[in-house]
């Protein structure tokens, strides 16, 4: 399944930007009509096109986008705010691990990514699935694809989200984070399409399933250059792979330190 998805996403590498972008909600309906033709040409089917037709402009997404400030904390402050402490967070990770140790062992065997890395990402992204976002993914991702600020970046992700609706991996009204990040580890739709793994074998990639989500996360890291059996602390090749997940150095450091502490 993941190879089919990767091939589909490759076709979106240079989308025709025929749909006119805008800076407020006034042009969103006209943009959807133009974008529907673009999406259909890229291979989006009826379910995805129906989800697009019903998409609503997400003002909350635009508000979040305009108010982004990046990560500006020192490491210790970042850990305090995001994790509480390394010891308490590592304890949560251990409890998650002990619920299904064989599953995490199977992921490390298949992809070479240690359980601690995957659990740290899962915990930091959504609190182990407790907070996966409150904005419909199709609404948020089409809104930022329409918005002129970063339309070129988000357009392939919007088409990917509609393809995921076609494939049953995303509900038309399923909720995620403000910029269309979805599931337990907050994949953007294009990455879900490209790196997603149907680990539970039910015929679809579902990032709202812990099984598919963590397998997809391990696959993403492996495809980005993770070296099985090697270290992952700062200065290592594997630490540099964490930059592919999140560009903030303190985020990368917190992942690596949490995994080691577990």
């Amino acid at each position: 399944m993941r190879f089919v998805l990767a091939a589909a996403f490759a076709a979106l590498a240079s989308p025709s930007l025929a749909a006119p972008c805008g800076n407020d909600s006034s042009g969103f309906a006209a943009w959807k009509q133009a974008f529907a033709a673009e999406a259909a040409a890229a291979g989006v089917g009826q379910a995805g096109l129906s989800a697009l037709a019903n998409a609503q402009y997400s003002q909350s997404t635009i508000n979040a986008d305009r108010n982004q400030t990046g990560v500006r904390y020192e490491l210790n402050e970042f850990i305090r705010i995001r994790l509480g402490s390394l010891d308490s967070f590592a304890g949560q990770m251990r409890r998650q691990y002990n619920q299904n140790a064989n599953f995490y062992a199977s992921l490390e065997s298949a992809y070479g990514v240690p359980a601690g890395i995957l659990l740290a990402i899962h915990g930091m992204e959504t609190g182990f699935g407790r907070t996966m976002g409150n904005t419909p993914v199709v609404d948020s991702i089409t809104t930022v694809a329409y918005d002129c600020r970063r339309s070129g970046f988000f357009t392939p992700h919007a088409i990917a989200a509609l393809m995921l609706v076609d494939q049953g991996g995303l509900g038309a009204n399923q909720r995620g984070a403000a910029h269309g990040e979805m599931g337990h580890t907050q994949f953007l739709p294009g990455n879900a399409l490209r790196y997603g793994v149907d680990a539970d074998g039910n015929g679809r990639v579902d990032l709202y399933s812990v099984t598919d989500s963590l397998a997809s996360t391990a696959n993403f890291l492996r495809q980005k250059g993770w070296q099985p059996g090697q270290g992952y602390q700062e200065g290592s090749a594997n630490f540099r792979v964490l930059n592919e997940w999140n560009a903030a150095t303190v985020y990368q450091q917190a992942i690596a330190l949490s995994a080691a502490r577990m």
Side-chain angles (χ1 to χ4, degrees):
M1 173 65 79
R2 65 179 180 269
F3 301 112
V4 174
L5 298 179
F9 184 69
L12 308 179
S14 300
S16 171
L17 299 178
C21 68
N23 294 307
D24 57 41
S25 63
S26 62
F28 188 61
W31 175 86
K32 286 199 300 178
Q33 289 185 339
F35 190 61
E38 193 175 318
V44 174
Q46 189 54 52
L49 293 175
S50 177
L52 172 62
N54 291 318
Q56 302 294 310
Y57 184 83
S58 176
Q59 188 61 52
S60 63
T61 288
I62 295 301
N63 294 344
D65 188 68
R66 299 295 185 265
N67 291 322
Q68 288 185 111
T69 58
V71 178
R72 299 180 179 178
Y73 301 113
E74 295 295 328
L75 177 60
N76 288 340
E77 186 71 357
F78 179 81
I79 289 172
R80 183 186 68 79
I81 293 170
R82 289 294 296 268
L83 309 182
S85 72
L86 284 178
D87 284 336
S88 64
F89 186 60
Q92 295 176 58
M93 291 165 61
R94 286 190 202 98
R95 286 190 289 275
Q96 292 290 322
Y97 176 85
N98 289 334
Q99 290 175 16
N100 200 349
N102 289 338
F103 169 62
Y104 293 103
S106 72
L107 293 181
E108 183 162 5
S109 176
Y111 300 101
V113 181
I117 294 293
L118 300 175
L119 283 160
I121 290 172
H122 191 195
M124 289 175 66
E125 292 289 352
T126 65
F128 307 104
R130 291 191 297 271
T131 55
M132 289 188 277
N134 294 311
T135 307
V137 172
V138 173
D139 289 1
S140 58
I141 202 66
T142 54
T143 296
V144 286
Y146 157 71
D147 187 65
C148 289
R149 182 167 177 256
R150 287 188 287 170
S151 181
F153 175 79
F154 283 111
T155 293
H157 290 292
I159 292 177
L162 302 180
M163 287 182 166
L164 288 168
V165 172
D166 283 334
Q167 296 166 2
L170 177 68
N173 295 306
Q174 200 152 18
R175 294 174 183 269
H179 290 78
E181 303 96 335
M182 50 187 287
H184 281 267
T185 58
Q186 301 287 274
F187 270 79
L188 280 170
N191 288 336
L193 195 65
R194 186 167 190 172
Y195 300 103
V197 176
D198 175 19
D200 58 16
N202 68 353
R204 60 192 174 92
V205 174
D206 178 6
L207 276 298
Y208 294 84
S209 152
V210 173
T211 302
D212 285 5
S213 183
L214 293 186
S216 298
T217 303
N219 183 50
F220 175 93
L221 293 172
R222 181 63 183 272
Q223 296 298 324
K224 293 294 185 179
W226 190 273
Q227 298 178 12
Q230 301 301 308
Y232 49 76
Q233 293 302 319
E234 198 163 5
S236 68
N238 282 339
F239 185 86
R240 290 190 290 275
V241 173
L242 296 177
N243 183 67
E244 299 287 343
W245 187 266
N246 189 299
T249 301
V250 290
Y251 199 102
Q252 300 158 24
Q253 291 170 323
I255 291 173
L257 291 171
S258 299
R261 186 65 57 95
M262 186 190 102

